[in-house]
Amino acid sequence: MLISTEDLRNNLADRKLACTLAAVAGALNTAAFEVVGFFSANMTGNVSSLSDHLAKASLAPGIFFLSVICIFIAGSAFSALLINAGRRRKMRTVYAVNIILEGGGLVLLGMVESWMNPASPGVLLILCLSFLMGLQNAVVTRISNARVRTTHVSGTSTDIGIELAMLFDVLRRKESPKDAPIYLERLGLHAFTLLSFLAGGVAGIWLFHLLGYGFLIFIGTGVILLALHNMRHKHQAE
């Protein structure tokens, strides 16, 4: 799911990608909300908060939200640059390498938060997670050709509504029945993404209460193992 791209990619690979990384994003977002009261990857909410603070001339909070937005964009740009470099070198594992970097960042963040007692742990958590969620979102977008998003579900919820409407029109014979399998396939992908994000969010809260910041190490290690498994599977296939 982190290797095959473009014409080699199928719906099963996209579904595995969506379910796995949406659960990761859901866990990290809800845990961040538990700590500081807002989400690291919700750029819609963060831009709205920035607007609110700018309108009220609240400079310090406004700068913070602007920083979160810029760091998310920086994470996406960093990921895209790595992917571009890997694609130029015909490196099909570049997406998995990016996910390994994300996992390593989570492990490092968990160690810092757990053992080094930073002065502003909530601020560090949000800024780092924003970068890593930007990185993850760029990986998922590029490898799936924008069919999958995992760090937020506004677009996914919209897509569910669209596919339901298309299926309704098929039932009314307003759309061709031969296209129904395509709509069902897309609906399944988006529904699984939403449900995985939801399940990951629930698990993220449980893990945070159980492990504290150690949950970042746990998730980061899992992400690294997932990427390494995909790379090993690719080499075996060759």
Side-chain angles (χ1 to χ4, degrees), residues 35-85:
V35 175
V36 297
F38 61 90
F39 301 103
S40 59
N42 180 11
M43 292 304 108
T44 302
N46 290 335
V47 171
S48 297
S49 295
L50 173 60
S51 300
D52 178 67
H53 290 299
L54 289 177
K56 296 175 180 176
S58 301
L59 185 59
I63 291 174
F64 175 72
F65 280 103
L66 177 62
S67 299
V68 172
I69 296 163
C70 290
I71 288 174
F72 184 91
I73 294 171
S76 298
F78 175 77
S79 178
L81 288 171
L82 287 180
I83 291 169
N84 290 345

CSV table of all heavy atoms in Angstrom, one decimal, residues 35-85:
chain,number,residue,atom,x,y,z
A,35,VAL,N,-4.8,17.2,25.1
A,35,VAL,CA,-3.7,18.0,25.8
A,35,VAL,C,-3.9,19.5,25.7
A,35,VAL,O,-3.8,20.2,26.8
A,35,VAL,CB,-2.3,17.6,25.2
A,35,VAL,CG1,-1.2,18.5,25.8
A,35,VAL,CG2,-2.0,16.2,25.3
A,36,VAL,N,-4.2,20.0,24.5
A,36,VAL,CA,-4.3,21.5,24.4
A,36,VAL,C,-5.6,22.1,24.0
A,36,VAL,O,-5.8,23.3,24.0
A,36,VAL,CB,-3.2,22.0,23.4
A,36,VAL,CG1,-1.8,21.6,23.9
A,36,VAL,CG2,-3.4,21.3,22.0
A,37,GLY,N,-6.6,21.2,23.6
A,37,GLY,CA,-7.9,21.7,23.3
A,37,GLY,C,-8.2,22.1,21.9
A,37,GLY,O,-9.2,22.6,21.6
A,38,PHE,N,-7.3,21.8,20.9
A,38,PHE,CA,-7.6,21.9,19.5
A,38,PHE,C,-6.7,20.9,18.7
A,38,PHE,O,-5.9,20.2,19.3
A,38,PHE,CB,-7.4,23.3,19.0
A,38,PHE,CG,-6.0,23.9,19.1
A,38,PHE,CD1,-5.1,23.8,18.1
A,38,PHE,CD2,-5.6,24.6,20.3
A,38,PHE,CE1,-3.8,24.3,18.2
A,38,PHE,CE2,-4.3,25.1,20.4
A,38,PHE,CZ,-3.4,24.9,19.4
A,39,PHE,N,-7.0,20.8,17.4
A,39,PHE,CA,-6.4,19.7,16.6
A,39,PHE,C,-5.2,20.2,15.8
A,39,PHE,O,-5.2,21.3,15.3
A,39,PHE,CB,-7.5,19.2,15.7
A,39,PHE,CG,-8.7,18.7,16.4
A,39,PHE,CD1,-9.9,19.4,16.4
A,39,PHE,CD2,-8.7,17.5,17.0
A,39,PHE,CE1,-11.0,18.9,17.1
A,39,PHE,CE2,-9.8,17.0,17.7
A,39,PHE,CZ,-11.0,17.7,17.7
A,40,SER,N,-4.3,19.3,15.7
A,40,SER,CA,-3.0,19.6,15.0
A,40,SER,C,-3.1,19.6,13.5
A,40,SER,O,-2.4,20.3,12.8
A,40,SER,CB,-1.9,18.6,15.4
A,40,SER,OG,-2.3,17.3,15.1
A,41,ALA,N,-4.1,18.9,12.9
A,41,ALA,CA,-4.2,18.8,11.5
A,41,ALA,C,-5.5,19.4,10.9
A,41,ALA,O,-5.7,19.4,9.7
A,41,ALA,CB,-4.2,17.3,11.1
A,42,ASN,N,-6.2,20.1,11.8
A,42,ASN,CA,-7.5,20.7,11.3
A,42,ASN,C,-7.2,22.1,10.8
A,42,ASN,O,-7.3,23.1,11.6
A,42,ASN,CB,-8.5,20.7,12.4
A,42,ASN,CG,-9.8,21.4,12.0
A,42,ASN,OD1,-10.0,21.7,10.8
A,42,ASN,ND2,-10.7,21.6,13.0
A,43,MET,N,-6.7,22.3,9.6
A,43,MET,CA,-6.3,23.6,9.1
A,43,MET,C,-7.5,24.5,8.9
A,43,MET,O,-7.4,25.7,9.0
A,43,MET,CB,-5.5,23.5,7.8
A,43,MET,CG,-4.1,22.8,8.0
A,43,MET,SD,-3.1,23.6,9.2
A,43,MET,CE,-3.1,22.4,10.6
A,44,THR,N,-8.7,24.0,8.6
A,44,THR,CA,-9.9,24.8,8.5
A,44,THR,C,-10.1,25.5,9.9
A,44,THR,O,-10.3,26.7,9.9
A,44,THR,CB,-11.1,23.9,8.2
A,44,THR,OG1,-10.8,23.3,6.9
A,44,THR,CG2,-12.3,24.8,8.0
A,45,GLY,N,-10.1,24.7,11.0
A,45,GLY,CA,-10.3,25.3,12.3
A,45,GLY,C,-9.2,26.3,12.7
A,45,GLY,O,-9.5,27.3,13.3
A,46,ASN,N,-8.0,25.9,12.3
A,46,ASN,CA,-6.8,26.8,12.7
A,46,ASN,C,-6.8,28.1,11.9
A,46,ASN,O,-6.5,29.1,12.5
A,46,ASN,CB,-5.5,26.0,12.4
A,46,ASN,CG,-5.3,24.9,13.4
A,46,ASN,OD1,-5.8,24.9,14.5
A,46,ASN,ND2,-4.6,23.9,13.0
A,47,VAL,N,-7.2,28.0,10.6
A,47,VAL,CA,-7.3,29.3,9.9
A,47,VAL,C,-8.5,30.1,10.4
A,47,VAL,O,-8.4,31.4,10.5
A,47,VAL,CB,-7.5,29.0,8.4
A,47,VAL,CG1,-7.9,30.3,7.6
A,47,VAL,CG2,-6.3,28.4,7.8
A,48,SER,N,-9.6,29.5,10.8
A,48,SER,CA,-10.7,30.2,11.4
A,48,SER,C,-10.3,30.9,12.7
A,48,SER,O,-10.6,32.0,13.0
A,48,SER,CB,-11.9,29.3,11.6
A,48,SER,OG,-12.4,28.8,10.4
A,49,SER,N,-9.5,30.1,13.5
A,49,SER,CA,-9.0,30.7,14.8
A,49,SER,C,-8.1,31.9,14.5
A,49,SER,O,-8.1,32.9,15.3
A,49,SER,CB,-8.3,29.6,15.6
A,49,SER,OG,-9.2,28.6,16.0
A,50,LEU,N,-7.2,31.7,13.5
A,50,LEU,CA,-6.3,32.8,13.2
A,50,LEU,C,-7.1,34.1,12.8
A,50,LEU,O,-6.8,35.2,13.2
A,50,LEU,CB,-5.4,32.4,12.0
A,50,LEU,CG,-4.5,33.5,11.4
A,50,LEU,CD1,-3.6,34.1,12.4
A,50,LEU,CD2,-3.8,32.9,10.2
A,51,SER,N,-8.2,33.9,12.0
A,51,SER,CA,-9.0,35.0,11.6
A,51,SER,C,-9.7,35.7,12.8
A,51,SER,O,-9.7,36.9,12.9
A,51,SER,CB,-10.1,34.5,10.7
A,51,SER,OG,-9.6,33.9,9.5
A,52,ASP,N,-10.1,34.8,13.8
A,52,ASP,CA,-10.7,35.4,15.0
A,52,ASP,C,-9.8,36.2,15.8
A,52,ASP,O,-10.1,37.3,16.2
A,52,ASP,CB,-11.3,34.2,15.8
A,52,ASP,CG,-11.9,34.7,17.1
A,52,ASP,OD1,-12.9,35.3,17.1
A,52,ASP,OD2,-11.3,34.4,18.2
A,53,HIS,N,-8.5,35.7,15.9
A,53,HIS,CA,-7.5,36.5,16.7
A,53,HIS,C,-7.1,37.7,16.0
A,53,HIS,O,-6.8,38.7,16.6
A,53,HIS,CB,-6.4,35.5,17.1
A,53,HIS,CG,-6.7,34.5,18.1
A,53,HIS,ND1,-7.1,34.8,19.4
A,53,HIS,CD2,-6.7,33.1,18.0
A,53,HIS,CE1,-7.4,33.6,20.0
A,53,HIS,NE2,-7.1,32.6,19.2
A,54,LEU,N,-7.0,37.6,14.7
A,54,LEU,CA,-6.6,38.8,13.9
A,54,LEU,C,-7.7,39.9,14.0
A,54,LEU,O,-7.4,41.1,14.2
A,54,LEU,CB,-6.4,38.5,12.5
A,54,LEU,CG,-5.1,37.7,12.2
A,54,LEU,CD1,-5.0,37.3,10.7
A,54,LEU,CD2,-3.8,38.4,12.6
A,55,ALA,N,-8.9,39.5,14.0
A,55,ALA,CA,-10.0,40.4,14.1
A,55,ALA,C,-10.1,41.1,15.5
A,55,ALA,O,-10.4,42.3,15.6
A,55,ALA,CB,-11.4,39.7,13.8
A,56,LYS,N,-9.6,40.4,16.5
A,56,LYS,CA,-9.6,40.9,17.8
A,56,LYS,C,-8.3,41.5,18.2
A,56,LYS,O,-8.1,41.9,19.4
A,56,LYS,CB,-10.0,39.8,18.8
A,56,LYS,CG,-11.4,39.2,18.6
A,56,LYS,CD,-11.6,38.0,19.6
A,56,LYS,CE,-13.0,37.5,19.4
A,56,LYS,NZ,-13.2,36.3,20.2
A,57,ALA,N,-7.4,41.6,17.2
A,57,ALA,CA,-6.0,42.1,17.5
A,57,ALA,C,-5.3,41.4,18.6
A,57,ALA,O,-4.5,42.0,19.3
A,57,ALA,CB,-6.1,43.6,17.7
A,58,SER,N,-5.5,40.0,18.7
A,58,SER,CA,-4.8,39.2,19.7
A,58,SER,C,-3.6,38.7,19.0
A,58,SER,O,-3.6,37.6,18.4
A,58,SER,CB,-5.7,38.1,20.2
A,58,SER,OG,-6.9,38.6,20.8
A,59,LEU,N,-2.5,39.4,19.2
A,59,LEU,CA,-1.3,39.2,18.4
A,59,LEU,C,-0.6,37.8,18.7
A,59,LEU,O,-0.3,37.0,17.8
A,59,LEU,CB,-0.3,40.3,18.6
A,59,LEU,CG,1.0,40.2,17.7
A,59,LEU,CD1,0.6,40.2,16.3
A,59,LEU,CD2,1.9,41.3,18.1
A,60,ALA,N,-0.4,37.5,20.0
A,60,ALA,CA,0.3,36.3,20.4
A,60,ALA,C,-0.4,35.0,20.0
A,60,ALA,O,0.2,34.2,19.3
A,60,ALA,CB,0.6,36.3,21.9
A,61,PRO,N,-1.7,34.9,20.3
A,61,PRO,CA,-2.4,33.7,19.8
A,61,PRO,C,-2.5,33.6,18.3
A,61,PRO,O,-2.4,32.5,17.7
A,61,PRO,CB,-3.8,33.8,20.4
A,61,PRO,CG,-3.7,34.8,21.6
A,61,PRO,CD,-2.6,35.7,21.2
A,62,GLY,N,-2.6,34.8,17.6
A,62,GLY,CA,-2.6,34.8,16.2
A,62,GLY,C,-1.3,34.3,15.6
A,62,GLY,O,-1.4,33.5,14.6
A,63,ILE,N,-0.2,34.7,16.2
A,63,ILE,CA,1.1,34.2,15.7
A,63,ILE,C,1.2,32.7,15.9
A,63,ILE,O,1.7,32.0,15.0
A,63,ILE,CB,2.2,34.9,16.4
A,63,ILE,CG1,2.3,36.4,16.0
A,63,ILE,CG2,3.6,34.3,16.1
A,63,ILE,CD1,3.3,37.2,16.7
A,64,PHE,N,0.7,32.2,17.0
A,64,PHE,CA,0.8,30.7,17.2
A,64,PHE,C,0.0,30.0,16.2
A,64,PHE,O,0.5,29.0,15.6
A,64,PHE,CB,0.2,30.4,18.6
A,64,PHE,CG,0.2,28.9,18.9
A,64,PHE,CD1,1.3,28.2,19.1
A,64,PHE,CD2,-1.0,28.3,18.9
A,64,PHE,CE1,1.3,26.8,19.3
A,64,PHE,CE2,-1.1,26.9,19.1
A,64,PHE,CZ,0.1,26.2,19.3
A,65,PHE,N,-1.3,30.4,15.9
A,65,PHE,CA,-2.1,29.7,14.9
A,65,PHE,C,-1.5,29.8,13.5
A,65,PHE,O,-1.5,28.9,12.7
A,65,PHE,CB,-3.5,30.2,14.9
A,65,PHE,CG,-4.3,29.6,16.0
A,65,PHE,CD1,-4.6,30.3,17.2
A,65,PHE,CD2,-4.8,28.3,16.0
A,65,PHE,CE1,-5.3,29.8,18.2
A,65,PHE,CE2,-5.5,27.7,17.0
A,65,PHE,CZ,-5.8,28.5,18.1
A,66,LEU,N,-0.9,31.0,13.2
A,66,LEU,CA,-0.2,31.1,11.9
A,66,LEU,C,1.0,30.2,11.9
A,66,LEU,O,1.3,29.6,10.8
A,66,LEU,CB,0.3,32.6,11.8
A,66,LEU,CG,1.1,32.9,10.5
A,66,LEU,CD1,0.2,32.7,9.3
A,66,LEU,CD2,1.6,34.3,10.6
A,67,SER,N,1.7,30.0,13.0
A,67,SER,CA,2.8,29.1,13.0
A,67,SER,C,2.4,27.6,12.7
A,67,SER,O,3.0,26.9,12.0
A,67,SER,CB,3.5,29.1,14.3
A,67,SER,OG,4.1,30.4,14.6
A,68,VAL,N,1.3,27.2,13.3
A,68,VAL,CA,0.7,25.9,13.1
A,68,VAL,C,0.4,25.7,11.7
A,68,VAL,O,0.8,24.6,11.1
A,68,VAL,CB,-0.5,25.7,14.0
A,68,VAL,CG1,-1.2,24.3,13.7
A,68,VAL,CG2,-0.2,25.7,15.5
A,69,ILE,N,-0.2,26.6,11.0
A,69,ILE,CA,-0.6,26.5,9.6
A,69,ILE,C,0.7,26.4,8.8
A,69,ILE,O,0.8,25.6,7.9
A,69,ILE,CB,-1.4,27.7,9.2
A,69,ILE,CG1,-2.8,27.7,10.0
A,69,ILE,CG2,-1.7,27.7,7.7
A,69,ILE,CD1,-3.5,29.0,10.0
A,70,CYS,N,1.6,27.3,9.0
A,70,CYS,CA,2.9,27.3,8.2
A,70,CYS,C,3.7,26.1,8.4
A,70,CYS,O,4.2,25.5,7.4
A,70,CYS,CB,3.7,28.5,8.6
A,70,CYS,SG,3.0,30.1,8.0
A,71,ILE,N,3.7,25.5,9.6
A,71,ILE,CA,4.4,24.3,9.8
A,71,ILE,C,3.8,23.1,9.1
A,71,ILE,O,4.4,22.2,8.6
A,71,ILE,CB,4.6,24.1,11.3
A,71,ILE,CG1,5.6,25.1,11.9
A,71,ILE,CG2,5.0,22.6,11.6
A,71,ILE,CD1,5.8,25.0,13.4
A,72,PHE,N,2.4,23.0,9.1
A,72,PHE,CA,1.7,22.0,8.4
A,72,PHE,C,2.1,22.1,6.9
A,72,PHE,O,2.4,21.0,6.3
A,72,PHE,CB,0.2,22.2,8.6
A,72,PHE,CG,-0.6,21.1,7.9
A,72,PHE,CD1,-1.0,19.9,8.7
A,72,PHE,CD2,-1.0,21.2,6.6
A,72,PHE,CE1,-1.7,18.9,8.1
A,72,PHE,CE2,-1.8,20.2,6.0
A,72,PHE,CZ,-2.1,19.1,6.8
A,73,ILE,N,2.1,23.3,6.4
A,73,ILE,CA,2.5,23.4,4.9
A,73,ILE,C,3.9,23.0,4.7
A,73,ILE,O,4.3,22.4,3.7
A,73,ILE,CB,2.2,24.9,4.5
A,73,ILE,CG1,0.7,25.2,4.5
A,73,ILE,CG2,2.8,25.2,3.1
A,73,ILE,CD1,0.4,26.7,4.4
A,74,ALA,N,4.8,23.4,5.7
A,74,ALA,CA,6.2,23.0,5.6
A,74,ALA,C,6.4,21.5,5.6
A,74,ALA,O,7.2,21.0,4.8
A,74,ALA,CB,7.0,23.6,6.7
A,75,GLY,N,5.6,20.8,6.4
A,75,GLY,CA,5.7,19.3,6.4
A,75,GLY,C,5.2,18.7,5.1
A,75,GLY,O,5.9,17.8,4.6
A,76,SER,N,4.2,19.3,4.5
A,76,SER,CA,3.7,18.8,3.2
A,76,SER,C,4.8,19.1,2.1
A,76,SER,O,5.1,18.3,1.2
A,76,SER,CB,2.4,19.6,2.8
A,76,SER,OG,1.4,19.3,3.7
A,77,ALA,N,5.4,20.3,2.1
A,77,ALA,CA,6.4,20.7,1.1
A,77,ALA,C,7.6,19.8,1.3
A,77,ALA,O,8.2,19.3,0.3
A,77,ALA,CB,6.8,22.1,1.3
A,78,PHE,N,8.1,19.5,2.5
A,78,PHE,CA,9.2,18.7,2.8
A,78,PHE,C,9.0,17.3,2.2
A,78,PHE,O,9.8,16.7,1.5
A,78,PHE,CB,9.5,18.6,4.3
A,78,PHE,CG,10.6,17.7,4.7
A,78,PHE,CD1,11.9,18.0,4.5
A,78,PHE,CD2,10.3,16.4,5.2
A,78,PHE,CE1,12.9,17.1,4.8
A,78,PHE,CE2,11.3,15.5,5.6
A,78,PHE,CZ,12.6,15.9,5.4
A,79,SER,N,7.8,16.7,2.5
A,79,SER,CA,7.4,15.4,2.0
A,79,SER,C,7.4,15.4,0.4
A,79,SER,O,7.9,14.5,-0.2
A,79,SER,CB,6.1,15.0,2.5
A,79,SER,OG,5.7,13.8,2.0
A,80,ALA,N,6.8,16.4,-0.2
A,80,ALA,CA,6.7,16.5,-1.6
A,80,ALA,C,8.1,16.6,-2.3
A,80,ALA,O,8.4,15.9,-3.3
A,80,ALA,CB,5.9,17.7,-2.1
A,81,LEU,N,9.0,17.3,-1.7
A,81,LEU,CA,10.4,17.4,-2.2
A,81,LEU,C,11.1,16.1,-2.1
A,81,LEU,O,11.8,15.7,-3.1
A,81,LEU,CB,11.2,18.5,-1.4
A,81,LEU,CG,10.8,19.9,-1.7
A,81,LEU,CD1,11.5,20.8,-0.7
A,81,LEU,CD2,11.1,20.3,-3.1
A,82,LEU,N,10.9,15.3,-1.0
A,82,LEU,CA,11.5,14.0,-0.9
A,82,LEU,C,10.9,13.0,-2.0
A,82,LEU,O,11.6,12.2,-2.6
A,82,LEU,CB,11.3,13.4,0.5
A,82,LEU,CG,12.1,14.0,1.6
A,82,LEU,CD1,11.8,13.3,2.9
A,82,LEU,CD2,13.6,13.9,1.3
A,83,ILE,N,9.6,13.1,-2.1
A,83,ILE,CA,8.9,12.3,-3.1
A,83,ILE,C,9.4,12.6,-4.5
A,83,ILE,O,9.7,11.7,-5.3
A,83,ILE,CB,7.4,12.4,-3.0
A,83,ILE,CG1,6.9,11.8,-1.7
A,83,ILE,CG2,6.7,11.7,-4.2
A,83,ILE,CD1,5.5,12.1,-1.3
A,84,ASN,N,9.5,13.9,-4.8
A,84,ASN,CA,10.0,14.3,-6.2
A,84,ASN,C,11.4,13.7,-6.4
A,84,ASN,O,11.7,13.2,-7.5
A,84,ASN,CB,9.9,15.8,-6.3
A,84,ASN,CG,8.5,16.3,-6.4
A,84,ASN,OD1,7.6,15.6,-6.6
A,84,ASN,ND2,8.4,17.6,-6.2
A,85,ALA,N,12.2,13.9,-5.5
A,85,ALA,CA,13.6,13.4,-5.6
A,85,ALA,C,13.6,11.9,-5.8
A,85,ALA,O,14.4,11.3,-6.6
A,85,ALA,CB,14.4,13.8,-4.4
